[in-house]
Amino acid sequence: GVETICFGYLKDMNYFNRQQIISGICLICLAGLVGCDSGKERNATVQGTVTIDGMLTKSGSVVFHPSDDVPAAYGTIHRDGTFALRIGRGNPRDPDHSKISPGSYVATVTIRGPSTPDEELGPGAPPKPGVRLSAAKYSNKKTSDLAYTIKSGMNVINIRVESPSEKEFLEESAEQGTDTPDSEEQSA
């Protein structure tokens, strides 16, 4: 049977090749036992809402950046202002119940206005993104003040962000070449 084939094959090999194969098999078995994960169990579910200036937002993205050596968790903000975090593709059968590792996280939130379909980034490229509706500090994990501790089980988190200051909004609009309501009134 298989034993005769495997061991017979190993018996015919010289000592050096036999040791390499046996070492390789041991490493594969050890990798299977240890796994490629950080060792932290993924047993937390995170869902919630995102509001901007007290109003539920209708689109955007949320990223929870871990302080530990575990993968970041991502979520899309739905039309009703809700989100659910996932790692990678999450749970394809039930994306709102994907598991992440418990621990400390800093959240970043990006909320943009609608893109203009006739303004492309280049030939064949997607439309130019809409103007950012959330303050810039929430888009960077180094400046975001959205810190959360995730515990095992269900976690419901309601994220509150602010819109950019008028100065920040005008600066970004000028960088993107976007017309602001004031510039449209002045040109009329």
Side-chain angles (χ1 to χ4, degrees), residues 5 13 33 40 53 55 73 95 98 102 107 122 124 129-130 140-141 145 149 154 161 167 172-173 176 178-179:
I5 294 171
M13 298 178 76
L33 290 173
K40 277 195 123 177
D53 298 330
M55 303 284 292
S98 296
N140 185 323
K141 70 179 182 179
D145 57 1
T149 299
M154 173 61 84
V161 297
K167 178 183 176 190
E172 183 171 321
S173 296
Q176 290 186 347
T178 306
D179 289 332

Side-chain angles (χ1 to χ4, degrees), residues 138-153:
Y138 302 116
S139 299
N140 185 323
K141 70 179 182 179
K142 292 180 181 174
T143 57
S144 176
D145 57 1
L146 304 171
Y148 300 98
T149 299
I150 303 303
K151 296 180 178 1
S152 297

